[in-house]
Amino acid sequence: AVSTIIMASPSLPLNDIASFQIKLKPKMYLYSSLHKVSNPSQLAKKLKKDGNLALISAKRLVGLNQLYCAANLSVDRRNPTWDTVFAVAASSHLGHVLKDYAFIPAEANDASTPAVEDGEEATVVVFQMSDDTTAETYKGWLDHHGLDKKTMISSDIDDYFVDRLTKKEVRQELKSLYKLTDQELESSSLESCILTKIATKMM
């Protein structure tokens, strides 16, 4: 069943970093942290070029289980960290996913609205898939890209998402983003519906 693949409990955050052991490949780990950044497009392009870290707009996620689900679905791909960005999304259009979830500008001929204007702040989940058993290397990459304590939101990441989901407008936005019906939400939680949606997309 999908739920046996995608649900997980993170280890206790160490210095505001949450870690998961990947169920489908136990030697791999997912490290993540929450940051408030300026000019996320510039940061995303640097991270993508480097390839070791990726980021996702926090407002596009229902919670960390969604990221964990996507990581499991991407663990055997060429670049599992950045492939997780595609797997986590509602859309199957790579260009739209990179623009709307990872702030990477679309092609010049795409007239759609950017996820955030240059200069605006955005709350993002930064993460890495790694075979390191501790978060030390992940913390090193955060420092390398200037993602230090000044940008990190010092709170439990799960608490951040739990608080967001108490807001009716946030739940409605996620419902619309993932094209969920009232009928689907009558039988399952918002989180379960979204996790099922992305798992089905990648099967």
Side-chain angles (χ1 to χ4, degrees):
V2 171
S3 60
T4 63
I5 297 175
I6 61 182
M7 303 298 285
S9 295
S11 63
L12 291 176
L14 176 62
N15 296 328
D16 304 309
I17 294 173
S19 62
F20 299 79
Q21 187 173 30
I22 299 301
K23 186 178 182 68
L24 298 184
K25 186 174 275 190
K27 291 184 178 180
M28 293 290 286
Y29 294 83
L30 172 68
Y31 298 104
S32 62
S33 48
L34 195 64
H35 299 260
K36 174 102 46 191
V37 299
S38 300
N39 297 316
S41 294
Q42 294 179 21
L43 174 62
K45 284 187 285 187
K46 290 178 182 178
L47 296 186
K48 193 169 191 305
K49 181 178 180 180
D50 180 78
N52 287 287
L53 303 180
L55 62 77
I56 293 175
S57 171
K59 71 178 185 179
R60 302 276 172 169
L61 297 175
V62 71
L64 281 185
N65 261 323
Q66 184 179 351
L67 186 64
Y68 178 74
C69 170
N72 269 283
L73 295 168
S74 307
V75 69
D76 289 321
R77 294 175 180 262
R78 186 174 64 177
N79 187 333
T81 296
W82 273 94
D83 282 323
T84 295
V85 176
F86 178 74
V88 87
S91 174
S92 295
H93 188 290
L94 180 59
H96 291 170
V97 171
L98 290 176
K99 175 176 68 67
D100 294 335
Y101 288 75
F103 306 97
I104 294 178
E107 298 297 330
N109 61 355
D110 186 342
S112 56
T113 304
V116 64
E117 298 292 340
D118 284 341
E120 289 186 21
E121 283 192 330
T123 301
V124 300
V125 176
V126 178
F127 66 95
Q128 180 188 39
M129 295 269 283
S130 172
D131 59 4
D132 289 324
T133 56
T134 73
E136 292 303 319
T137 300
Y138 175 73
K139 286 188 279 187
W141 282 115
L142 291 178
D143 291 339
H144 176 75
H145 289 286
L147 294 164
D148 54 18
K149 283 291 184 182
K150 293 179 181 178
T151 71
M152 190 175 285
I153 297 175
S154 297
S155 65
D156 185 280
I157 305 180
D158 279 323
D159 288 345
Y160 169 83
F161 286 107
V162 169
D163 181 64
R164 265 179 51 81
L165 290 177
T166 63
K167 301 175 178 66
K168 182 178 180 180
E169 63 271 21
V170 169
R171 298 194 304 272
Q172 186 60 41
E173 182 181 354
L174 289 168
K175 175 188 174 185
S176 176
L177 177 64
Y178 290 91
K179 297 180 172 60
L180 301 175
T181 65
D182 290 336
Q183 184 177 10
E184 287 175 304
L185 291 169
E186 285 174 2
S187 58
S188 297
S189 68
L190 177 63
E191 181 185 58
S192 293
C193 287
I194 290 175
L195 297 187
T196 300
K197 186 80 78 172
I198 67 170
T200 302
K201 183 188 84 170
M202 296 297 291
M203 293 302 181

